[in-house]
Amino acid sequence: MDQEKQKLKILLLYLPNSEDGQRWERLAKALQTFADLEVVTDPSPDFATLFQNRDHIFLDCALADWAKLTAEKVPNLTLVKVEGFAWNELETRTSYLPALLQHSCFLLENISATDLVRCLHLYLFPKRLMGATPLFEKGSVIMGEKIQSLENLGTTLDKLCVYVDQMDGFTLKNRLLDLRQMLSAVLSESFSQVQKVVHPY
């Protein structure tokens, strides 16, 4: 049966607080639009047992055992953080990056309710169309740049971020550093894989 017709069984675990309560509630409402959702806001120390028989788990970063997540990848797990990481701090990079290399992390910062539903749906039910076709269908802005080596990758990403920062109506400008970091990792890995195919020896 098509997974979109049969609702996903999703678990959301988070620690509520007065400052971030509305954002967690918004995430729960967004997930409920297309999933059979269970929300746990007061998990016991052995809450990992709740992971069984779930199609997907969204886990508050405040509850994450970063050492375990570094040692072992948990399938169908997405970490959730209300605000971005302070990547300029060495302690943050040392503590979180090893686990984040194995697990997806969803940032709630500055995402509207409409965009939240759309992002979650695309994340959990990805289209089976390759390349730029889905983007063309949505009328998205598409930018291209030929990458022949990684020497000028930083300059290329800087130009991209400057362009996006000047776009009218772009509401996530304070996330450009996250975008740059993510693109740097993705493009570097993609270039490396292509090189292995083109020059296997």
Side-chain angles (χ1 to χ4, degrees):
M1 183 181 291
D2 192 330
Q3 208 171 18
E4 290 198 53
K5 296 178 181 177
Q6 181 181 6
K7 283 193 171 185
L8 291 177
K9 292 183 179 179
I10 291 181
L11 175 66
L12 171 61
L13 295 108
Y14 70 93
L15 289 175
N17 60 59
S18 56
E19 294 180 4
D20 303 325
Q22 288 185 343
R23 284 188 272 193
W24 287 110
E25 290 174 8
R26 186 185 300 167
L27 174 61
K29 288 181 180 178
L31 288 169
Q32 284 175 335
T33 60
F34 50 81
D36 180 8
L37 178 68
E38 180 180 354
V39 178
V40 177
T41 59
D42 187 22
S44 61
D46 61 341
F47 64 81
T49 57
L50 297 170
F51 288 16
Q52 298 174 359
N53 301 318
R54 308 288 179 175
D55 295 309
H56 208 92
I57 302 103
F58 287 86
L59 177 65
D60 185 352
C61 281
L63 293 169
D65 185 329
W66 294 98
K68 286 185 178 180
L69 293 178
T70 299
E72 181 181 0
K73 182 176 181 179
V74 179
N76 301 321
L77 173 69
T78 298
L79 298 167
V80 183
K81 201 168 188 309
V82 174
E83 296 183 350
F85 294 91
W87 293 124
N88 57 319
E89 297 178 3
L90 177 61
E91 183 179 353
T92 300
R93 297 195 299 272
T94 304
S95 300
Y96 301 135
L97 271 180
L100 291 175
L101 289 173
Q102 301 192 82
H103 300 86
S104 298
C105 185
F106 197 88
L107 296 181
L108 298 178
E109 186 177 22
N110 291 341
I111 297 183
S112 67
T114 303
D115 288 338
L116 184 58
V117 173
R118 185 181 297 114
C119 287
L120 288 169
H121 192 272
L122 289 173
Y123 179 57
L124 294 170
F125 301 107
K127 279 192 171 184
R128 296 296 186 263
L129 294 175
M130 298 296 289
T133 302
L135 300 174
F136 281 123
E137 289 178 348
K138 295 180 178 298
S140 301
V141 175
I142 298 176
M143 293 169 279
E145 182 80 20
K146 186 174 183 180
I147 299 175
Q148 296 179 317
S149 72
L150 296 180
E151 293 178 3
N152 299 318
L153 180 60
T155 304
T156 301
L157 293 177
D158 287 340
K159 290 191 295 184
L160 171 66
C161 289
V162 169
Y163 175 80
V164 173
D165 187 47
Q166 295 176 354
M167 287 179 61
D168 293 333
F170 187 74
T171 59
L172 296 176
K173 293 184 179 182
N174 65 328
R175 298 277 292 276
L176 286 178
L177 291 178
D178 295 329
L179 173 66
R180 189 188 187 288
Q181 184 176 28
M182 181 272 294
L183 287 177
S184 177
V186 170
L187 292 175
S188 296
E189 180 64 18
S190 300
F191 189 84
S192 173
Q193 294 301 321
V194 169
Q195 291 296 99
K196 290 178 182 178
V197 173
V198 176
H199 307 290
Y201 304 107

